[in-house]
Amino acid sequence: MSLLSSRSVSILPTLLALSSGSLTVLGFAPFSWFPIAAMALAVFYQSLTDASPRAGFWRGWWFGVGLLGFGVFWIRISLNEFGNMDAWVAHLLMALFIAAMALYYGFTGWLVCKLNKGPYWVGPLLLFPGIYVCFEWLRGWLFTGFPWLNLGYTQIDGPLAGYAPIAGVYGVSLLVALSGGLLWGLVQWPPRPRMAAGIGFGAIWLAGVGLQQVNWTQPAGASFRASVLQANIPQSVKWAPDAGVTIAQAYLELTKDHLASDLIVWPETALPDFLDQVRDPLITPLAERAHEEGVEIVLGIPVMDRATGRYYNGLLSIGGREDLYAKRHLVPFGEFMPFRQWLGPLVEMFEVPMSDFSRGANLRPLLQVGPRLAGVSICYEDAFPNEVVQALPEAQFLINVSNDAWFGDSLAPHQHLEIARMRALENGRFMVRATNTGISAIIDDRGRLIATVPSFVRAGVAAEVWPLQGLTPYAIVRNWLAIGLALAMIVAGLLIGMLRLGRKDGDGEQAPPVSSPRHPAHAILKF
């Protein structure tokens, strides 16, 4: 084989990894081709077969570059168009962020190749799914976390969604990765193991359909009518000094159209002025009108503590009574600047309005909304399942407010809505979700959209919401079940590999490697 041909063959697995990562994006909203996620993971695993740990690291890294490069390229929009950065700086920082996040997938590939010493089925069925999900979970909390594009979100409209109320999004991710391993076995294994792989794949997906028929929570009283308002205020004018009156008027007009509802929800920082500045001219009269009409209003507003000079991203409930929640999980470089003393001049490049929020002191994400308690999240907080679930069992429904205008007309608003739907499904609660420019929605306890306002439309929408009680299995065990299973799979894979190596040492006979010619089906995708 010539040198050029040899190089072409050696680069093919890397291209395979990059392509599989890129194709995985099609499983997420707005595309929502949920079967492609498992197929892409099968291709990713194929790129790791016969690879050294070093090669596995780079193939995993390229998978991450493909997934994140196509999946979260919208980060550039907030940096360039609304963060007032030069385009080249925004693109550079976005590329560095993607390269850094792709390291999680690089270490996934490295560890799979490093530990895969067992029989042919251990890698795809134990080590690969377990390691993939453990690193996905690690990415969700390390250095404040970036839990975007978790594999389980691709299944919100598929059969595997039935497992979400039991094991959460990480449990669904584990089953997608396991399904990818089984699909790989359908292509690569001899006839009998191939049949077993097909049966296993079918059983997992059919069981998911059955689980979707289970009602995990029960009504806690009569339904009420909820409205979400979306004023579609352009991000470019939202924080302009003279925009406050115009913005308030837009929401007041939408509110008048929905006074027949029991609950009206405005988006995150719907009012761009601090609460104490608008309390007398706006909030107090609005609360009195809401009380007269018998409606509760929940609105996003920044809150200043004049004694300390700190300000918070707040969610205010008015009407029957007043309550306030301050955002606890802030967005790095968007709502606060981490490592300010070390980053120095780089911090000055971020000219993001209201980018020095303080973290709220609420112990749990609960808000009193009239006679009911709601589990609340502000924007990015709903991406953290372990934080949203803290509102249970008291919360009878969920509220999320957001401002995805930061990311323009991109994949971000669709992906964020998909995340919100998963939170409703995991916790067995309706969610009322209001956003500035879209996509606003009312979501039922099965994660289904029952009313929406499309992006970049000024409108409101109303639907019946049922307060619910009880706990899903996920609300009890949280992420421990999924991560515990993932770790158990890794340990089992290691033990089986050690036993296999022990047998080799004992009898001197070596079992054929996964890609051995004694398994002719492997030649189909072997490079």
Side-chain angles (χ1 to χ4, degrees):
M1 183 182 292
S2 68
L3 179 60
L4 180 60
S5 177
S6 176
R7 287 178 177 175
S8 299
V9 170
S10 65
I11 203 173
L12 284 176
T14 301
L15 293 176
L16 202 63
L18 176 64
S19 300
S20 62
S22 304
L23 288 173
T24 304
V25 177
L26 296 177
F28 296 93
F31 312 106
S32 301
W33 299 352
F34 65 86
I36 205 168
M39 293 187 284
L41 265 289
V43 176
F44 177 33
Y45 183 77
Q46 171 58 35
S47 73
L48 299 177
T49 57
D50 297 327
S52 66
R54 176 187 174 89
F57 173 85
W58 287 111
R59 293 171 192 180
W61 186 81
W62 280 110
F63 172 88
V65 168
L67 173 64
L68 298 165
F70 284 93
V72 300
F73 67 91
W74 37 261
I75 291 173
R76 175 204 62 81
I77 299 173
S78 63
L79 298 176
N80 176 214
E81 297 183 18
F82 303 122
N84 300 313
M85 281 188 178
D86 291 337
W88 72 269
V89 178
H91 281 89
L92 175 62
L93 289 178
M94 180 193 69
L96 290 174
F97 176 78
I98 290 170
M101 291 296 104
L103 291 173
Y104 288 101
Y105 299 95
F107 286 116
T108 296
W110 177 82
L111 201 56
V112 169
C113 295
K114 181 75 173 178
L115 302 182
N116 193 8
K117 309 297 183 183
Y120 64 89
W121 53 271
V122 166
L125 302 190
L126 294 178
L127 293 175
F128 178 65
I131 293 170
Y132 186 99
V133 169
C134 282
F135 275 106
E136 185 176 83
W137 171 72
L138 190 66
R139 180 168 60 89
W141 60 266
L142 190 62
F143 306 122
T144 79
F146 184 68
W148 216 267
L149 297 185
N150 286 345
L151 202 59
Y153 292 123
T154 62
Q155 305 303 305
I156 191 66
D157 290 313
L160 296 185
Y163 293 93
I166 300 175
V169 68
Y170 293 112
V172 179
S173 290
L174 188 67
L175 291 170
V176 176
L178 176 59
S179 297
L182 290 168
L183 286 177
W184 183 84
L186 279 171
V187 175
Q188 298 288 53
W189 291 346
R192 286 188 179 179
R194 190 183 305 165
M195 182 181 299
I199 293 172
F201 182 90
I204 290 171
W205 286 62
L206 285 174
V209 174
L211 289 170
Q212 287 179 314
Q213 315 310 312
V214 178
N215 293 317
W216 298 105
T217 53
Q218 305 78 40
S223 66
F224 61 92
R225 191 161 183 82
S227 293
V228 291
L229 306 185
Q230 181 176 299
N232 192 34
I233 306 299
Q235 189 65 25
S236 57
V237 303
K238 180 175 175 64
W239 298 105
D242 58 348
V245 174
T246 302
I247 292 172
Q249 189 61 41
Y251 281 108
L252 289 174
E253 290 176 358
L254 287 170
T255 298
K256 290 178 182 178
D257 295 336
H258 289 266
L259 286 175
S261 292
D262 301 295
L263 169 65
I264 300 173
V265 180
W266 297 14
E268 177 188 15
T269 56
L271 299 175
D273 299 303
F274 289 113
L275 173 59
D276 62 315
Q277 294 175 321
V278 296
R279 180 175 285 282
D280 290 339
L282 177 59
I283 299 300
T284 298
L286 181 61
E288 292 174 352
R289 178 66 185 276
H291 183 70
E292 292 172 1
E293 298 288 344
V295 59
E296 308 297 330
I297 298 176
V298 175
L299 56 93
I301 187 169
V303 179
M304 171 70 79
D305 183 341
R306 297 294 173 181
T308 63
R310 294 181 177 182
Y311 56 90
Y312 304 86
N313 191 344
L315 192 59
L316 179 70
S317 173
I318 56 177
R321 64 182 73 183
E322 181 173 310
D323 197 12
L324 179 68
Y325 167 79
K327 188 176 183 181
R328 306 182 304 165
H329 198 131
L330 302 175
V331 180
F333 302 103
E335 293 176 310
F336 78 102
M337 295 295 170
F339 316 117
R340 182 183 292 271
Q341 61 270 36
W342 292 291
L343 294 178
L346 183 61
V347 172
E348 305 303 322
M349 300 173 65
F350 288 83
E351 299 180 22
V352 179
M354 304 292 287
S355 58
D356 198 18
F357 282 106
S358 295
R359 183 179 182 271
N362 304 72
L363 296 178
R364 298 172 64 199
L366 288 166
L367 185 72
Q368 189 73 48
V369 182
R372 303 179 183 89
L373 275 173
V376 295
S377 56
I378 298 177
C379 193
Y380 189 55
E381 287 184 314
D382 70 342
F384 297 87
N386 59 308
E387 296 181 12
V388 175
V389 74
Q390 292 173 12
L392 270 59
E394 291 88 345
Q396 296 181 334
F397 68 104
L398 305 176
I399 293 176
N400 174 253
V401 296
S402 187
N403 179 23
D404 292 335
W406 288 106
F407 307 110
D409 187 11
S410 68
L411 302 180
H414 303 275
Q415 294 170 351
H416 200 178
L417 176 60
E418 188 173 61
I419 289 171
R421 294 175 63 193
M422 182 62 76
R423 297 292 87 80
L425 177 60
E426 287 173 341
N427 294 283
R429 297 292 192 273
F430 278 68
M431 177 180 283
V432 182
R433 183 174 192 265
T435 68
N436 178 25
T437 59
I439 305 168
S440 300
I442 297 176
I443 306 165
D444 74 6
D445 58 315
R446 295 177 182 267
R448 298 174 298 197
L449 299 172
I450 56 178
T452 60
V453 182
S455 293
F456 309 112
V457 172
R458 177 172 294 187
V461 68
E464 291 295 310
V465 171
W466 286 92
L468 297 171
Q469 62 185 353
L471 295 173
T472 62
Y474 172 75
I476 299 171
V477 300
R478 307 193 179 186
N479 291 330
W480 294 111
L481 176 59
I483 304 307
L485 286 172
L487 290 172
M489 292 167 75
I490 297 171
V491 171
L494 284 171
L495 291 176
I496 293 170
M498 291 171 62
L499 289 173
R500 180 173 182 262
L501 290 174
R503 291 194 190 101
K504 284 184 188 179
D505 294 338
D507 58 22
E509 181 183 353
Q510 293 193 0
V514 175
S515 58
S516 168
R518 291 172 61 181
H519 298 294
H522 284 271
I524 298 174
L525 290 177
K526 182 177 181 298
F527 295 109

